[in-house]
Amino acid sequence: MPEGDTVYRAARAMQKAIGGKVVTGFETGLAKLARVNDDAPLVGRMVEKVESRGKWCLIFFSGDLILVTHMLMSGSWHLYRTGERWQMGRAQMRVVIRTADWEAVGFNIPVAEFYTARSLERSSQVPKLGPDILSESFTVEDGIARMAAYGRENPDAEIAVVLLNQRVLAGLGNVYKSEVLFAAGVNPFRAMRTITPREMELMMDLAQRYMKANVVEGKGDGIVTYSGNRRTTHAMDREERLWVYGRQGQECRRCGATVMMRKQGVQARSTYWCPACQPWVGDGEAPIGRAGIVRRGQIGR
């Protein structure tokens, strides 16, 4: 499930492979991109840089052209040496950017559009992102300030929904949302008016540490990509790498209580939590979720 860390690693790998290189070939299965390429061909342009902004990937080409993509739930960028066999079928290909040595292939990418610098500034989404948790300039204080400001204007907003709001903070997705809240001991359904400054500080520190730990590069000068599961615990076993996400009906790793799951927000995203480790604070009764064990293929988005 692509989140900010996935996009960050993809952009970093593409920057190393095709950054500073001249485009020798371009293909796309998306009509909007094809029309732009027909009018202003990419072949011959240089890939000036590739960067991530939250869950968005931006590829800058010479001549003031920017390819902006969002993976949503199932998109992915792959890198292949020239002539190397793709791991996914051509029917799933949406974009191919070729240089002399590499091919960057976007599979199943649902959102892809060309911009100029000026039109990107007028975009309704990318320029309005909150601070990117994985950016070098991000600080815990930045995150606290954004959350506190949003909380003052939206005191009834549920904290888990706020963490997913990319205009408040850019990069966090459904996995990190549940994991950060568990580690901070914060019930995901609490209203912003109940969240203390200390809890905000703890959540921002955990969010930054967890995400940075999952984008650490290996040693050497080669291009490093990442294919393992995300890890928020200290366990190396792939079945024990997360605290609560995807563990509905199983025992909490800390206290032994049953992990619950409940759909949350207008997008009905799955939220996982431990009712004992994340006590309810607020008016009324504590929200209750489903506790039945589900098969891995049924884990909610």
Side-chain angles (χ1 to χ4, degrees):
M1 185 182 299
E3 297 193 17
D5 57 342
T6 308
V7 182
Y8 180 94
R9 290 191 299 265
R12 180 176 62 193
M14 285 195 287
Q15 171 63 27
K16 287 189 174 183
I18 66 174
K21 306 293 178 59
V22 174
V23 177
T24 59
F26 179 79
E27 291 184 52
T28 182
L30 302 174
K32 287 196 301 183
L33 301 188
R35 286 195 296 270
V36 173
N37 184 57
D38 288 342
D39 294 336
L42 268 77
V43 172
R45 296 175 186 259
M46 177 181 290
V47 180
E48 295 181 335
K49 64 178 177 178
V50 184
E51 66 181 34
S52 64
R53 295 185 190 175
K55 298 180 183 180
W56 296 85
C57 180
L58 287 75
I59 305 175
F60 293 79
F61 299 93
S62 58
D64 191 22
L65 194 62
I66 308 165
L67 176 60
V68 179
T69 64
H70 196 298
M71 299 183 197
L72 292 183
M73 300 298 293
S74 58
S76 60
W77 278 103
H78 292 200
L79 279 171
Y80 299 98
R81 295 281 186 180
T82 301
E84 186 179 357
R85 184 177 179 180
W86 295 354
Q87 294 180 5
M88 300 183 75
R90 175 165 285 275
Q92 297 166 288
M93 179 274 288
R94 300 295 180 268
V95 184
V96 182
I97 302 168
R98 293 190 177 90
T99 64
D101 301 316
W102 291 93
E103 292 181 344
V105 188
F107 292 104
N108 298 318
I109 293 177
V111 180
E113 192 163 350
F114 280 119
Y115 288 91
T116 64
R118 185 174 180 180
S119 67
L120 182 60
E121 285 300 317
R122 296 197 301 266
S123 167
S124 62
Q125 299 184 72
V126 180
K128 297 179 177 61
L129 293 174
D132 187 337
I133 294 174
L134 283 173
S135 70
E136 293 183 0
S137 62
F138 179 83
T139 66
V140 169
E141 291 72 24
D142 291 336
I144 294 171
R146 290 299 290 250
M147 288 190 68
Y150 188 85
R152 288 191 293 271
E153 295 181 1
N154 303 272
D156 294 328
E158 296 175 344
I159 179 60
V161 176
V162 174
L163 289 180
L164 286 183
N165 188 330
Q166 300 299 295
R167 295 194 177 194
V168 180
L169 298 163
L172 284 178
N174 218 35
V175 177
Y176 284 115
K177 170 203 74 178
S178 292
E179 293 295 292
V180 165
L181 288 169
F182 171 82
V186 175
N187 188 288
F189 298 92
R190 284 174 53 186
M192 287 299 294
R193 65 176 179 275
T194 73
I195 305 298
T196 68
R198 173 56 185 157
E199 287 172 329
M200 289 188 193
E201 179 182 8
L202 184 56
M203 285 186 286
M204 290 302 93
D205 178 65
L206 286 164
Q208 186 180 46
R209 287 197 287 115
Y210 280 174
M211 294 193 75
K212 284 194 171 183
N214 282 281
V215 298
V216 173
E217 283 193 290
K219 297 180 180 179
D221 297 326
I223 293 171
V224 179
T225 58
Y226 181 88
S227 58
N229 293 340
R230 294 184 180 93
R231 186 170 72 226
T232 55
T233 69
H234 292 293
M236 294 302 294
D237 189 311
R238 63 176 297 164
E239 300 298 328
E240 299 179 0
R241 288 188 169 199
L242 297 175
W243 289 110
V244 291
Y245 184 83
R247 300 191 65 247
Q248 171 187 344
Q250 300 179 50
E251 290 187 356
C252 172
R253 301 192 192 282
R254 282 184 175 169
C255 74
T258 301
V259 174
M260 290 189 172
M261 186 280 287
R262 179 171 173 166
K263 299 291 186 178
Q264 186 176 17
V266 295
Q267 295 181 320
R269 304 297 297 274
S270 297
T271 294
Y272 299 84
W273 82 103
C274 171
C277 293
Q278 298 166 262
W280 173 245
V281 176
D283 301 327
E285 296 182 358
I288 299 175
R290 297 203 304 269
I293 297 177
V294 296
R295 294 193 299 270
R296 179 170 298 276
Q298 296 175 320
I299 293 175
R301 61 189 180 91

